[in-house]
Amino acid sequence: EIGLLTRIVSLKLASNKIYTLPDALGRLVSLQMCFLEENDLKTIPQSMQQCSALKVLDVSRNKIAMLPTGLWRCRKLNKINVYDNPMKLPKEVVAQGSAVILTMLKALNIAEKENALRLGSLQLVAIPEYILQLTSVTELALDDNKITDVGELHVLHNLATLSIEHNKIVKLPLSLATLTALTELRTEGNPLVSPPDEVIQLGAAKVVRYLGEKRSLITENVRDLYSAFDED
């Protein structure tokens, strides 16, 4: 059994058509280099976070959508190769290298336990797809990125605090009217034109109400327009 190889330093299982790995992989406490490229893997076991000596992990050319979020606990890990996988990690994060990948994994791992997700200064250009699954999150910080649209956040109904400071957001989409639990909204440092600043200054609840009323008005106008066509 692989879990008995506790003294192994390098594991090379490339090009073996492997489609799953045992949780026992986490027992390889001496493992420093792990080469799993060109297989059929869809996941990496969370237990791998216990491989405290791990320095190099190559999972390129597999079918992996997400790395174990606990992988950041491998403090010596400085080289991760995820090339040619259907990754849900943003391309701009992957492009910045192993340190930034681990930073994001750490943030996601903490969010799974504390319901607070902080993804600041990661050069994000859009809302990461993966975080839309974290519907229990109550606090989300996306400061100091390059995001232009936050409309997808409407699915995070439990959000109480949202910080999107220093991005490239011009308007808050009407879809955010669904965030009725929102009590704190920070938008400083964006070229925001809608809602107007006087509404923003009134606080999160007023902003959500403004977006909801505007959406209702548009819906009513569209309904009236269709009615007019029907009458003709």
Side-chain angles (χ1 to χ4, degrees):
E1 181 184 320
I2 195 171
L4 299 176
L5 305 175
T6 55
R7 294 186 179 181
I8 193 170
V9 174
S10 180
L11 182 64
K12 299 180 180 180
L13 296 173
S15 306
N16 277 297
K17 298 183 179 180
I18 299 171
Y19 62 88
T20 187
L21 293 169
D23 286 337
L25 196 65
R27 298 180 198 164
L28 307 185
V29 292
S30 299
L31 186 65
Q32 296 182 24
M33 295 179 288
C34 185
F35 301 97
L36 301 167
E37 68 270 25
E38 205 169 350
N39 282 293
D40 294 317
L41 294 169
K42 292 184 178 180
T43 61
I44 301 295
Q46 281 282 359
S47 62
M48 200 160 192
Q49 68 183 15
Q50 300 165 22
C51 299
S52 55
L54 190 63
K55 296 179 180 179
V56 177
L57 175 62
D58 190 342
V59 295
S60 58
R61 288 169 288 176
N62 277 279
K63 300 174 182 178
I64 299 168
M66 192 63 191
L67 294 172
T69 58
L71 205 59
W72 69 273
R73 298 182 185 277
C74 299
R75 302 293 188 176
K76 297 181 180 179
L77 185 57
N78 56 36
K79 178 64 176 177
I80 305 174
N81 189 351
V82 296
Y83 169 74
D84 200 11
N85 279 285
M87 275 283 161
K88 290 185 178 180
L89 288 173
K91 292 180 180 179
E92 58 269 29
V93 168
V94 173
Q96 292 176 76
S98 304
V100 179
I101 291 174
L102 290 170
T103 296
M104 184 164 185
L105 292 178
K106 181 178 180 179
L108 293 171
N109 188 247
I110 292 172
E112 290 167 0
K113 300 175 179 121
E114 299 181 3
N115 293 329
L117 180 56
R118 300 174 182 88
L119 297 175
S121 303
L122 292 177
Q123 301 295 315
L124 297 174
V125 298
I127 301 298
E129 176 187 352
Y130 185 80
I131 74 171
L132 301 178
Q133 302 172 25
L134 306 177
T135 54
S136 61
V137 165
T138 58
E139 179 183 339
L140 176 60
L142 296 166
D143 305 324
D144 300 298
N145 284 295
K146 300 177 180 179
I147 297 169
T148 59
D149 184 12
V150 292
E152 293 174 308
L153 296 180
H154 72 91
V155 299
L156 302 181
H157 299 295
N158 292 309
L159 271 187
T161 300
L162 175 60
S163 185
I164 49 176
E165 293 183 328
H166 303 289
N167 277 280
K168 298 182 177 182
I169 300 163
V170 175
K171 65 178 181 178
L172 297 183
L174 303 183
S175 60
L176 297 190
T178 60
L179 302 183
T180 54
L182 202 64
T183 57
E184 185 174 359
L185 175 64
R186 298 193 288 270
T187 62
E188 184 180 345
N190 283 284
L192 205 60
V193 296
S194 179
D197 188 60
E198 56 267 27
V199 174
I200 295 291
Q201 296 303 319
L202 294 174
K206 294 292 185 182
V207 170
V208 171
R209 182 177 177 180
Y210 170 89
L211 295 174
E213 290 176 350
K214 192 171 181 180
R215 184 174 63 175
S216 296
L217 182 60
I218 291 173
T219 301
E220 289 174 9
N221 288 342
V222 170
R223 189 182 300 119
D224 291 343
L225 184 60
Y226 274 109
S227 296
F229 277 120
D230 289 340
E231 290 173 3
D232 290 343

